[in-house]
Amino acid sequence: MDIVVNEELKAYIDPLTEEEYEALERSILAEGCRDALVLWGDVLVDGHNRFGICRKHGLPFQTVQNTRFQSMDDVYLWMIDQHLGRRSISEFQRGVLALRKREIVAARRAQASAPNAASQTDQHQPMDSAVAAPPPLDTREAVAKAARLSSNQVVMIEKIQKQATPEVVAAVKAGTISINAAAAVASLPAEEQITAAAAGKDELKQAAKRVRESKRKVRNESAPAVDPTEAGAEDTVESLRQRVGALTAENTALRQQVAALQQQLRAASSLAQTEDSAAPF
């Protein structure tokens, strides 16, 4: 059987690094190709690196057919799920794959909701062999869960995909800079991104730092100033409260003084009456 290598499928998942490829080659040379290659008809779906190594060294390998695939989208979703479950891929790769899955699932659901979708499904996709519809990934939280990332990381990966130059994307894929730093650098004009990437890891980090500091400065400068009218009103209210307190205390003291004077007047009046009664006629 002739195995067909679809270049689009082969490139759909990021290739192994040179070190990873060499490690896989050593393993196959020592132990043989233990995992079967996955085919859809005669098209190779999974095991491109193993297939290439086995052909290079004339080594035998096994194949297995996945008969549940009904379309290329089924193949893509299967490939994505296989790689999302592996520990060897980076956080950035997981985020990219989960976002790709979201696009495929969204397109499928939109197609399924079309008026003639039901009849097309009945005619072209037997229900007993169709791939089960994956759950929707219509929120960032759902995408983050699928990729085992935080929602904030998903936002940054989306920004990198939309705004970063290929040079910056290559740097984050290689682990030269973090997702956070790459998202910051992606805010710069393309020329500055390319220059920073060409200068290497340290310059990329410095560029990310400058972007963050610039944003922090803008936030501080644009922070809402205290309304002097409101501040004056608050001061007036507080002053009135203090004044009321002082007047209340003053009033209490005056009442006490009046009461004391009244007591003294009563005592004086009583004394005068006593003296008048004791005086001779």
Side-chain angles (χ1 to χ4, degrees), residues 31 33 39 58 72 75 81 87 159 201 203 211 241-242 260 263 270:
E31 304 174 14
C33 186
L39 303 177
M72 190 62 77
V75 176
D81 287 339
R87 298 180 180 179
K159 181 177 181 180
K201 179 177 181 179
E203 180 55 31
V211 171
R241 286 175 181 170
Q242 295 176 359
Q263 185 176 3
S270 176

Side-chain angles (χ1 to χ4, degrees), residues 134-275:
L137 297 175
D138 49 5
T139 65
R140 281 203 179 95
E141 289 72 19
V143 176
K145 183 177 180 181
R148 306 195 308 278
L149 300 172
S150 68
S151 296
N152 189 44
Q153 285 175 306
V154 172
V155 172
M156 290 189 288
I157 291 172
E158 285 182 297
K159 181 177 181 180
I160 293 168
Q161 286 188 300
K162 293 176 181 177
Q163 298 179 223
T165 62
E167 293 81 3
V168 174
V169 173
V172 71
K173 282 183 177 180
T176 304
I177 55 173
S178 66
I179 294 173
N180 190 303
V185 175
S187 302
L188 297 171
E191 296 79 5
E192 294 184 34
Q193 292 186 46
I194 294 171
T195 300
K201 179 177 181 179
D202 291 340
E203 180 55 31
L204 281 169
K205 288 184 176 181
Q206 288 300 316
K209 183 179 179 181
R210 289 193 296 270
V211 171
R212 295 191 192 103
E213 290 176 347
S214 176
K215 289 183 177 180
R216 192 178 301 116
K217 182 179 179 181
V218 170
R219 283 197 301 268
N220 292 338
E221 291 177 350
S222 61
V226 178
D227 188 338
T229 303
E230 294 181 359
E234 292 179 0
D235 290 343
T236 301
V237 170
E238 183 61 28
S239 298
L240 288 174
R241 286 175 181 170
Q242 295 176 359
R243 182 59 178 163
V244 168
L247 290 173
T248 300
E250 184 178 347
N251 187 38
T252 300
L254 289 173
R255 286 178 180 274
Q256 292 174 349
Q257 292 177 10
V258 169
L261 288 173
Q262 288 176 341
Q263 185 176 3
Q264 291 176 5
L265 287 172
R266 284 195 297 270
S269 176
S270 176
L271 179 61
Q273 290 176 1
T274 301
E275 290 178 347

